[in-house]
Amino acid sequence: MIHPEGLEDVVRALSLAEKFRIPVVPRGAGTGVAGGCVPFLGGIVLVFDRMNRILDIDTENLHVRVEPGVITGDLDREVRNVGLFYPPDPASIDSCMIGGNIATNAGGPRALKYGVTKHYTLELQVVLPGGRVVRFGRRTKKWVVGYDLVSAFVGSEGTLGVLTEAVLRLIPDPPQIETLLVAFPDELKASETVTELIRRRYLPRALEFLDRVSVAHIAERLPGSLPDGTQALLLIEVDGRGDLFDELEEIAGICEKNGALEIYASRDEKDRARLWDARRKVFPSLEEKYERVRSEDIVVPRSYIPEAVRRIRELASGLGIGVATFGHAGDGNLHVNFLYSGDREGEVLKAVGELYKIALDLDGTISGEHGVGILKKDFIHLEQEPLLIELQKALKKTFDPLGIMNPGKIFPD
Ligand SMILES: Cc1cc2nc3c(=O)[nH]c(=O)nc-3n(C[C@H](O)[C@H](O)[C@H](O)COP(=O)(O)OP(=O)(O)OC[C@H]3O[C@@H](n4cnc5c(N)ncnc54)[C@H](O)[C@@H]3O)c2cc1C
């Protein structure tokens, strides 16, 4: 394991790796949930915790230059201090790193209004096997000179090269934010509300769904806040300049019409933080309570969310295995967590295959933000035709002719 302190260390490591044909596995904070940073074939693990500087914030041109080991939450706070905003906010924001976010094209609750990591990635410095250093993209607002290799690199899960620096786009920080926690007596009503809000042209900054199993886990962190009979929750956040009251009232009206039991509006910044903290802790809380948690993140077109929730519930009860579904429903992105003990691994793997079929049958995808890593590589063919897989493998070969960059990830063996 190597903890590089700068570009030169990475260049040396990749020169040696090529010379001796050693696999290289880049690693950020290790919060990835597809096994992308696991060195299961051995090799050099490059951990970026020491390359964690915010190099400069350009307040005139609205971008920031960072090293890959910057914790996303630190960047979020630093740029807000100067009135700017870096929207991508994975729920792991206080531990994950920008390099890992770029390599997985991380999303988060705010992706609904603001998009995911790729929408903020302007320019990258990357070290290729052999120690060759290359920069992709430009920090201008627009550019069209050759292929967009920034987009190819974002989401490539460490299989093309090692990221050593990134220039990220910033936007003005919206001054007003309001958050609602809405309790529903049933999951379908809550999921239909998501679809209705999108259909009626609302664009909240976040629109999170939690099913009844997830409610039990969030309830512990919000004592006394949820009415009896709560079977599903929506966490809805709007932002902007000026008065947000009319928008909030309209959204609350739609929730009420759809049978909401209670609509709670956060009182202040501290109260908002309390609600988000509870939401972010749902996954860690599942991991604490169950021997195994297999976390999936399918996406379906938003109008199919209620159908997806219904089919997932059916799948779960057919299996007799606990399933907690929550996530960025406004994006159509549902984190489906299978909760089980080790002796049921085989059944869960089958259920995962069934879940992917549900996603694809509804015109969706098998991963919205977690990536493929090791976990989904044997399923990628369900979504992508052989030619598409071959084109991507050919691209990898161009960057990494010896196949030493994070081998065994994304593509089936
Ligand atoms: C509680 C919890 C909540 C989460 N919520 C979300 C969420 O809301 N949205 C979301 O998108 N994800 C979420 N995740 C998943 C995870 O946090 C993200 O995938 C995150 O982007 C991973 O960052 P990391 O620094 O931990 O990367 P790692 O896990 O260390 O690595 C992830 C991948 O990036 C590659 N990589 C890392 N650094 C580099 C580099 N410098 N150069 C090239 N490749 C590199 C690795 O090889 C690996 O393939 C969550 C995870 C947890 C545990």
Side-chain angles (χ1 to χ4, degrees):
M1 206 175 268
I2 295 177
H3 297 257
E5 296 192 353
L7 176 65
E8 282 315 307
D9 293 345
V10 180
V11 168
R12 277 185 60 206
L14 269 85
S15 305
L16 287 172
E18 184 178 82
K19 191 167 168 197
F20 297 106
R21 303 195 174 203
I22 306 169
V24 176
V25 181
R27 183 181 173 100
T31 66
V33 282
C37 67
V38 178
F40 76 109
L41 297 174
I44 301 171
V45 179
L46 290 174
V47 189
F48 282 93
D49 54 344
R50 293 191 191 156
M51 285 180 69
N52 59 359
R53 289 175 305 157
I54 296 177
L55 297 167
D56 62 72
I57 302 177
D58 184 334
T59 54
E60 303 260 309
N61 295 301
L62 311 193
H63 49 68
V64 58
R65 194 162 59 90
V66 292
E67 291 184 326
V70 170
I71 302 284
T72 313
D74 291 343
L75 178 65
D76 179 61
R77 283 181 285 276
E78 282 296 315
V79 300
R80 272 196 284 127
N81 283 340
V82 292
L84 292 170
F85 184 37
Y86 177 69
D89 62 336
S92 50
I93 190 163
D94 286 321
S95 47
C96 66
M97 296 176 183
I98 290 295
N101 292 176
I102 290 173
T104 56
N105 192 14
R110 303 192 291 229
L112 171 57
K113 183 166 180 180
Y114 293 106
V116 295
T117 303
K118 75 173 171 195
H119 300 117
Y120 294 87
T121 309
L122 295 176
E123 192 180 308
L124 300 175
Q125 182 188 65
V126 171
V127 184
L128 302 177
R132 298 166 293 157
V133 181
V134 59
R135 287 191 89 93
F136 315 136
R138 302 297 286 170
R139 60 191 71 183
T140 48
K141 177 118 171 74
K142 300 167 158 181
W143 68 267
V144 197
V145 182
Y147 296 152
D148 181 1
L149 294 182
V150 173
S151 288
F153 192 87
V154 175
S156 63
E157 301 187 54
T159 60
L160 297 182
V162 179
L163 174 72
T164 46
E165 195 180 293
V167 180
L168 303 169
R169 186 165 79 91
L170 301 173
I171 59 174
D173 193 19
Q176 260 86 42
I177 307 173
E178 300 290 346
T179 309
L180 298 177
L181 182 69
V182 188
F184 284 89
D186 107 46
E187 292 168 352
L188 282 183
K189 287 277 173 223
S191 56
E192 280 162 12
T193 306
V194 173
T195 301
E196 181 169 353
L197 288 170
I198 301 293
R199 189 177 60 238
R200 292 181 59 175
R201 314 287 188 262
Y202 290 96
L203 187 56
R205 148 180 166 129
L207 177 43
E208 299 280 302
F209 166 85
L210 295 102
D211 77 348
R212 58 173 178 256
V213 179
S214 318
V215 165
H217 289 266
I218 203 172
E220 294 166 11
R221 295 184 194 270
L222 299 171
S225 299
L226 303 182
D228 288 347
T230 302
Q231 292 283 309
L233 287 170
L234 293 183
L235 186 57
I236 308 175
E237 188 160 275
V238 297
D239 69 1
R241 275 179 191 283
D243 195 353
L244 303 174
F245 187 75
D246 288 349
E247 190 181 353
L248 272 186
E249 209 175 45
E250 286 166 23
I251 290 176
I254 292 171
C255 293
E256 231 164 39
K257 184 189 72 100
N258 285 345
L261 293 171
E262 191 174 285
I263 301 173
Y264 174 83
S266 67
R267 291 184 298 272
D268 50 30
E269 183 60 35
K270 202 170 150 206
D271 198 28
R272 269 189 60 229
R274 179 181 72 100
L275 299 181
W276 279 108
D277 185 54
R279 156 64 186 90
R280 289 194 182 110
K281 299 259 166 66
V282 172
F283 182 61
S285 151
L286 294 173
E287 281 200 309
E288 267 167 34
K289 297 239 162 80
Y290 294 90
E291 191 186 322
R292 301 231 172 133
V293 179
R294 166 114 186 186
S295 177
E296 295 296 328
D297 83 313
I298 60 161
V299 190
V300 296
R302 276 88 57 96
S303 61
Y304 294 144
I305 286 270
E307 179 60 13
V309 168
R310 196 185 60 73
R311 292 198 199 180
I312 293 164
R313 184 55 56 213
E314 248 174 44
L315 175 67
S317 46
L319 275 174
I321 282 181
V323 174
T325 301
F326 62 87
H328 322 306
D331 291 335
N333 191 188
L334 294 173
H335 296 317
V336 181
N337 298 275
F338 294 95
L339 314 166
Y340 62 107
S341 52
D343 54 336
R344 303 198 70 184
E345 194 74 56
E347 288 158 83
V348 168
L349 208 58
K350 266 197 209 137
V352 167
E354 290 303 311
L355 175 70
Y356 293 160
K357 280 189 201 144
I358 294 175
L360 297 172
D361 188 43
L362 297 175
D363 280 339
T365 170
I366 65 172
S367 178
E369 51 184 30
H370 292 169
V372 178
I374 309 174
L375 273 195
K376 292 176 204 157
K377 66 179 185 171
D378 291 330
F379 296 97
I380 180 174
H381 68 280
L382 295 177
E383 179 164 333
Q384 298 194 342
E385 57 180 301
L387 178 58
L388 184 52
I389 296 175
E390 282 316 309
L391 284 170
Q392 292 171 89
K393 283 181 161 176
L395 180 73
K396 174 167 169 61
K397 206 157 190 171
T398 306
F399 278 77
D400 173 28
L402 298 178
I404 57 173
M405 279 310 313
N406 210 0
K409 309 291 163 61
I410 302 183
F411 305 110
D413 300 324

